[in-house]
C-alpha cells in the first residue's frame, strides 16, 4: 500500500473506534435519548433500546463498515459498486439509490449545524451578559422560532466543518482521541455530582424500574428502534464512508461492537446526569432542548439574583476563619464581601446545581483604563479580581461575572 493511501486511513484500531463513536455520539445520546426515555416509559424504553442496539451493533453497523471498506469510497460509489457486483446493468440504479441515505445524512448535518449555532449564540450572549438579564424561555423562543436568526453562527459552523473534513481522517482521529475521553470524564463527574442531589433517587427509579404496560405500545418500540438507528449512525451513509478508511486487517465485527458499546455507555451516562437532575429540580424529563437552552440560563440568573439581593460589596470584610463552611459563613454571618467571596459563592452554587464550575483569579482593566489609549499598564492590588467560570461541553469554560460593578 502506498504511503499516500496510508496517510488517508485511520492510524490505529482505537483511533477508528473513537472516531466512529465521535460520529455516533451527539444529540441522539445527550439530548435525544434522555428525552425519549422520559416520554416512553423510562426503564421499558431502555430495555427495548438495548435490544435494538445489540441487533444493529452485531449486524447493521459491521455491514456498513464492511461495505465501505470493500468499496473503498463514499456512499454513492459504494451503492453503485454493490449493485454492479450483482449485474453491470444495475450500477446506475445503485448509484441513484445511494442518494436516499446521502440526502438523509445531509438533513441530519443541517439539523446539527443549527443546534451548534444555537450553542454559539448562547455562548456569545453569556459572555456579553445578555443571557443573564432576560427570561430564558422567551429568549430561546425568540430566535429558535424566527427565520434566519442564527445565520452568522451557522456560517461559522459550516466553515469549521469543511476545514475539518479537508484535513482528513488523521486529523479526525487525533481530535477524537482527546475529545471523546474528555466527554466521558466530564459526564462521569456530572453523574457523581447529580447523584448527591436531593430527589435524584426518583430519577434512577424512573430509569431502572420498567413500566411494563409500555411494552404493549407499538409506538414505544418504534421510538426505541429509531433511537438506536440514529444513535449508532446506522444511516446507510456515514459509517460506510468511515469504513472506506478502515484497514483491511481490522475485524469489522469487533470494531462495530466496540463502537456500539461506547455509544450506548455515552447515552446511559448522559441519562444518569439529565433524568435524575430533572427529578431533583422538578423539571419535565421530556423537555428536550429546553434542558440546555432554558434551564441552565435560569440557574445562572438565579445565582446572580441571589448574590445581588443578599450580598453587599465590601472590601473591608475579614477572612473566614476556617471553622465554618465558606458559603454559609458569607451568607449568614457577614452577607458582605468582595470579588473573592462573590466568585467563590457562585462556583459553589453552580456545583450544587450540577454545573461544572471553577474559581479564577487575575487582573481587571476598567473601562477608563481601556479608553486611556495606553499600550502598557502597571498592575497592582487595585486591579486584582476574581470571577467564576462554568463549563459547556463543546464550547469550553465560560466566564460568569457576578461581582457588582464589573
Amino acid at each position: 500500500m502506498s504511503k499516500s493511501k496510508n496517510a488517508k486511513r485511520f492510524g490505529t484500531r482505537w483511533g477508528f473506534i473513537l472516531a466512529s463513536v465521535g460520529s455516533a455520539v451527539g444529540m441522539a445520546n445527550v439530548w435525544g435519548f434522555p428525552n425519549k426515555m422520559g416520554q416512553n416509559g423510562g426503564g421499558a424504553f431502555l430495555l427495548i433500546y438495548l435490544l435494538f442496539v445489540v441487533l444493529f451493533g452485531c449486524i447493521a453497523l459491521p455491514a456498513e463498515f464492511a461495505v465501505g471498506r470493500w468499496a473503498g469510497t463514499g456512499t454513492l460509489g459504494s451503492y453503485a459498486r454493490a449493485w454492479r457486483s450483482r449485474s453491470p446493468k444495475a450500477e446506475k440504479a445503485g448509484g441513484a439509490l445511494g442518494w436516499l441515505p446521502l440526502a438523509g445524512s445531509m438533513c441530519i448535518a443541517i439539523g446539527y449545524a443549527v443546534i451548534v449555532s444555537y450553542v454559539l449564540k448562547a455562548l456569545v450572549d453569556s459572555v456579553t451578559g445578555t443571557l443573564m438579564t432576560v427570561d430564558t424561555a422567551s429568549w430561546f423562543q425568540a430566535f429558535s422560532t424566527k427565520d434566519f436568526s442564527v445565520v452568522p453562527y451557522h456560517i461559522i459552523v459550516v466553515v469549521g466543518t469543511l476545514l475539518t473534513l479537508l484535513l482528513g481522517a488523521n486529523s479526525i482521529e487525533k481530535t477524537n482521541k482527546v475529545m471523546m475521553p474528555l466527554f466521558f470524564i466530564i459526564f462521569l463527574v456530572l453523574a457523581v455530582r447529580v447523584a448527591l442531589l436531593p430527589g435524584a433517587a426518583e430519577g434512577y427509579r424512573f430509569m431502572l424500574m420498567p413500566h411494563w404496560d409500555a411494552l404493549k405500545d407499538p409506538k414505544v418500540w418504534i421510538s426505541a428502534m429509531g433511537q438506536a438507528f440514529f444513535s449508532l449512525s446506522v444511516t446507510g451513509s456515514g459509517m460506510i464512508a468511515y469504513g472506506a478508511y478502515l484497514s483491511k486487517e481490522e475485524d469489522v465485527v469487533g470494531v462495530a461492537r466496540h463502537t456500539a458499546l461506547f455509544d450506548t455507555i455515552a447515552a446511559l451516562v448522559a441519562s444518569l446526569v439529565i433524568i435524575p437532575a430533572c427529578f431533583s429540580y422538578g423539571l419535565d424529563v421530556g423537555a428536550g432542548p429546553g434542558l440546555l437552552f432554558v434551564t441552565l440560563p435560569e440557574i445562572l440568573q438565579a445565582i446572580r439574583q441571589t448574590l445581588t439581593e443578599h450580598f453587599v460589596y465590601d472590601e473591608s470584610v475579614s477572612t473566614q476563619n476556617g471553622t465554618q463552611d465558606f458559603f454559609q459563613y458569607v451568607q449568614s454571618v457577614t452577607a458582605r464581601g468582595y470579588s473573592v467571596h462573590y466568585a467563590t459563592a457562585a462556583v459553589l452554587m453552580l456545583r450544587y446545581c450540577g454545573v461544572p464550575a471553577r474559581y479564577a483569579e487575575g487582573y481587571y482593566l476598567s473601562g477608563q483604563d481601556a479608553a486611556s489609549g495606553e499600550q502598557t499598564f502597571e498592575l497592582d492590588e487595585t486591579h486584582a479580581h476574581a470571577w467564576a467560570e462554568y463549563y459547556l461541553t463543546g464550547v469550553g469554560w465560560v466566564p460568569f461575572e457576578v461581582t457588582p460593578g464589573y
Side-chain angles (χ1 to χ4, degrees):
M1 186 178 291
S2 67
K3 183 177 180 181
S4 62
K5 287 185 178 180
N6 280 326
K8 294 181 180 180
R9 296 189 182 279
F10 289 97
T12 64
R13 182 171 188 263
W14 276 106
F16 177 84
I17 292 172
L18 289 175
S20 299
V21 174
S23 173
V25 170
M27 286 192 302
N29 304 78
V30 179
W31 179 350
F33 183 75
N35 175 249
K36 288 188 177 181
M37 182 183 285
Q39 293 177 339
N40 293 282
F45 175 87
L46 176 60
L47 291 175
I48 302 171
Y49 170 79
L50 292 176
L51 171 64
F52 282 117
V53 165
V54 171
L55 289 175
F56 298 156
C58 292
I59 301 172
L61 193 55
E64 290 203 6
F65 285 153
V67 169
R69 185 172 68 175
W70 168 73
T73 184
T75 305
L76 298 180
S78 294
Y79 275 73
R81 186 174 177 185
W83 281 58
R84 185 179 64 201
S85 68
R86 308 300 297 173
S87 170
K89 296 180 180 180
E91 181 177 355
K92 290 185 178 180
L97 182 63
W99 279 102
L100 291 177
L102 189 62
S105 295
M106 178 62 71
C107 292
I108 293 172
I110 292 172
Y112 267 107
V114 173
I115 298 302
V116 177
S117 301
Y118 287 179
V119 173
L120 288 179
K121 176 174 174 55
L123 172 63
V124 172
D125 287 356
S126 295
V127 172
T128 59
T130 303
L131 194 54
M132 297 298 102
T133 58
V134 298
D135 176 74
T136 54
S138 300
W139 167 83
F140 178 61
Q141 187 177 15
F143 69 84
S144 62
T145 58
K146 181 180 178 182
D147 295 338
F148 311 112
S149 60
V150 290
V151 169
Y153 304 106
H154 198 184
I155 292 174
I156 294 173
V157 172
V158 172
V159 172
T161 302
L162 290 176
L163 291 176
T164 302
L165 294 175
L166 288 173
L167 292 174
N170 187 259
S171 172
I172 296 173
E173 177 180 354
K174 290 180 179 178
T175 301
N176 279 284
K177 281 183 176 180
V178 176
M179 294 185 66
M180 290 314 301
L182 282 177
F183 170 87
F184 284 104
I185 291 172
I186 290 170
F187 268 84
L188 284 172
V189 171
L190 286 174
V192 173
R193 178 64 191 90
V194 168
L196 302 177
L197 293 175
E202 292 297 323
Y204 298 130
R205 277 192 283 271
F206 176 81
M207 288 180 59
L208 303 177
M209 297 295 292
H211 298 270
W212 299 113
D213 290 342
L215 296 177
K216 302 176 184 178
D217 188 351
K219 293 182 179 178
V220 176
W221 286 80
I222 294 172
S223 180
M225 182 178 67
Q227 177 64 24
F229 265 118
F230 189 26
S231 182
L232 292 176
S233 284
V234 180
T235 61
S237 177
M239 291 309 188
I240 289 179
Y242 266 62
Y245 295 91
L246 181 62
S247 168
K248 300 293 184 182
E249 289 74 33
E250 291 295 346
D251 176 14
V252 291
V253 176
V255 296
R257 288 174 178 172
H258 279 93
T259 300
L261 173 63
F262 287 108
D263 177 78
T264 304
I265 292 174
L268 292 175
V269 172
S271 295
L272 289 173
V273 173
I274 293 174
I275 290 181
C278 286
F279 274 84
S280 178
Y281 293 119
L283 304 175
D284 178 10
V285 292
L291 296 177
L292 175 61
F293 295 106
V294 177
T295 305
L296 178 58
E298 283 184 349
I299 292 173
L300 299 179
Q301 285 188 2
I303 291 174
R304 172 167 286 179
Q305 182 178 1
T306 298
L307 294 176
T308 301
E309 293 180 354
H310 302 287
F311 280 49
V312 176
Y313 186 84
D314 185 357
E315 296 183 359
S316 64
V317 298
S318 60
T319 304
Q320 197 253 344
N321 59 19
T323 62
Q324 188 176 359
D325 176 82
F326 179 87
F327 182 68
Q328 289 183 350
Y329 175 80
V330 175
Q331 182 185 42
S332 60
V333 178
T334 66
R336 315 175 76 84
Y338 47 96
S339 62
V340 171
H341 302 86
Y342 278 88
T344 304
V347 169
L348 292 174
M349 286 190 282
L350 283 166
R351 291 178 178 176
Y352 177 80
C353 293
V355 179
R358 68 184 183 185
Y359 172 89
E361 283 187 351
Y363 290 92
Y364 170 84
L365 292 179
S366 66
Q368 184 178 358
D369 291 330
S372 66
E374 296 290 337
Q375 298 298 316
T376 59
F377 297 91
E378 182 178 344
L379 301 177
D380 53 28
E381 65 276 5
T382 62
H383 294 88
H385 187 58
W387 61 94
E389 295 181 349
Y390 61 91
Y391 191 85
L392 287 179
T393 303
V395 176
W397 291 101
V398 181
F400 179 42
E401 183 60 72
V402 293
T403 305
Y406 286 88

